[in-house]
Amino acid sequence: MAYDLITMGRIGVDLYPLQTGVPLPQVTSFGKFLGGSATNVAVAAARLGRNTAVITRTGDDPFGVYLHEALRDFGVDDRWVTPVQGLPTPVTFCEVFPPDDFPLYFYRQPKAPDLEIDAHELDLDAIRDGRIFWVTGTGLSEEPSRTATLAALAHRAKSGTTVFDLDWRPMFWTDPDAARPFYAEALKHTTVAVGNLDEVEIATGVRDPHAAARALLDAGVELAVVKQGPKGVLAVHRDGDQAEVPPLPVTVLNGLGAGDAFGGSLCHGLLNGWDLETTMRHANAAGAIVASRLECSSAMPTPEEITAALTAGAVPAPADGETTPQGPPAPGNESRTGGAGGNTKTAEGEAEAEQ
């Protein structure tokens, strides 16, 4: 069976405060959610009706069991999610200070299991046959994940659509110069590159969106997607097609996860064969919806919610007295969050995402 989308990269447990505008020392309750950028992208695409799977690793512990259960509930195939003895499942905390301050605290010591993905254990035929294969910059940060990621890309050899989420996380690297050679090698094997301004600068050495897009095309990709924060998103195709789409207005509660929703929707649009502007507008709306919600994975929007936001030209704010709007919970799992908060901002689906 060929998957619509196979992602490879981070997984973990998000422990998000159920109070907004409160520093961690004063937080009294947390919600537990499936997290990790590559995993969230698979969830986002599954929410849009796509057949998805994720390649990653967890600890051999109760949190690892929880992640398997959550993946299945979201309709993401977990056959390539395997345990690592002796390493704990990663946990990520955040603080929520709307509209634009969401500090992340990664607990991935002594090493995250998802960096123990081994090239010899990959189902390379399935990776080659998937309609879209998605990898991340974090997967290049340590061995054996680095070799596994590059081996998967080389074996796939640009069959179908291969997406490189530039995913720059400085805490996972010694310095940018250490990352650039591996980013350059990955770009040789990918057809789509996606990143914000910081990430495209790491990959190309330039920060101007149009110049960075050209540099990504010169590096070998067919489509460069540059996320520009409040200025929207720029997409440039090798064939000369281009779209620059403004953000969708939204009352931001938590910007984390918006980029993952953007990624899942981007894959959905590419699979549908939509034109660039339609794809970018849909992805913007998906990300903006998640930015209006507390959590990430369970906040991923349905097709109907995205259509409603695009029709309205904005993500509806919760009515006074209502709790923060949530994405449909995973089957059998009620999603519980705290009250609404935040100021009206714009988000184009790439408010800084992920775990």
Side-chain angles (χ1 to χ4, degrees):
M1 174 183 64
Y3 291 87
D4 290 328
L5 171 65
I6 299 173
T7 68
M8 180 173 170
R10 291 201 304 276
I11 194 170
V13 176
D14 290 345
L15 294 176
Y16 282 6
L18 299 187
Q19 298 87 40
T20 61
V22 178
L24 277 180
Q26 281 73 56
V27 172
T28 58
S29 56
F30 296 85
K32 179 172 98 273
F33 307 105
L34 171 72
S37 62
T39 303
N40 282 339
V41 170
V43 170
R47 184 61 58 82
L48 297 175
R50 295 299 175 179
N51 179 23
T52 71
V54 61
I55 301 168
T56 190
R57 306 198 72 181
T58 71
D60 187 13
D61 54 24
F63 274 151
V65 173
Y66 161 71
L67 294 176
H68 277 278
E69 293 174 349
L71 285 168
R72 293 168 191 152
D73 283 342
F74 283 122
V76 177
D77 196 319
D78 65 341
R79 69 181 62 195
W80 296 308
V81 182
T82 57
V84 178
Q85 297 291 332
L87 292 178
T89 297
V91 174
T92 301
F93 290 87
C94 79
E95 294 175 302
V96 180
F97 297 104
D100 56 6
D101 187 17
F102 311 104
L104 277 171
Y105 302 90
F106 294 91
Y107 290 81
R108 292 167 61 86
Q109 292 82 23
K111 185 180 183 180
D114 54 61
L115 293 174
E116 285 291 312
I117 299 172
D118 192 291
H120 298 95
E121 298 173 355
L122 296 175
D123 187 339
L124 292 174
D125 289 339
I127 290 171
R128 183 194 59 233
D129 294 341
R131 297 178 68 190
I132 296 182
F133 181 52
W134 177 288
V135 299
T136 74
T138 296
L140 299 172
S141 64
E142 287 193 45
E143 294 289 4
S145 173
R146 177 185 299 148
T147 294
T149 299
L150 294 175
L153 290 172
H155 184 83
R156 184 169 169 85
K158 291 190 175 182
S159 59
T161 299
T162 305
V163 183
F164 180 20
D165 174 7
L166 301 178
D167 181 44
W168 170 248
R169 297 287 167 174
M171 69 285 292
F172 301 154
W173 293 86
T174 55
D175 62 70
D177 289 337
R180 286 195 178 101
F182 301 114
Y183 273 57
E185 181 64 24
L187 285 169
K188 295 177 184 177
H189 301 288
T190 55
T191 61
V192 180
V194 185
N196 62 29
L197 295 176
D198 291 337
E199 291 165 340
V200 299
E201 185 176 15
I202 291 297
T204 68
V206 295
R207 190 173 181 86
D208 174 79
H210 289 270
R214 289 193 297 271
L216 290 168
L217 295 177
D218 290 342
V221 306
E222 297 174 9
L223 174 64
V225 180
V226 181
K227 299 181 289 185
Q228 306 175 77
K231 292 185 178 180
V233 62
L234 169 69
V236 182
H237 197 278
R238 180 179 297 279
D239 65 9
D241 193 13
Q242 179 174 315
E244 193 157 9
V245 176
L248 196 68
V250 59
T251 300
V252 175
L253 176 64
N254 186 358
L256 302 172
D260 304 331
F262 182 98
S265 176
L266 169 65
C267 293
H268 183 62
L270 294 173
L271 289 166
N272 280 333
W274 292 342
D275 62 78
L276 273 187
E277 182 166 347
T278 300
T279 300
M280 294 303 113
R281 289 190 182 279
H282 192 276
N284 275 353
I289 290 168
V290 172
S292 75
R293 298 169 173 171
L294 177 66
E295 69 274 24
C296 296
S297 55
S298 55
M300 297 302 170
T302 64
E304 294 77 15
E305 289 174 318
I306 295 174
T307 298
L310 288 170
T311 301
V315 177
D320 290 344
E322 290 185 1
T323 58
T324 304
Q326 305 302 314
N333 284 306
E334 298 259 313
S335 180
R336 296 182 293 276
T337 68
N343 300 320
T344 300
K345 295 264 297 181
T346 55
E348 66 282 22
E350 42 78 34
E352 278 332 289
E354 29 276 287
Q355 293 59 37

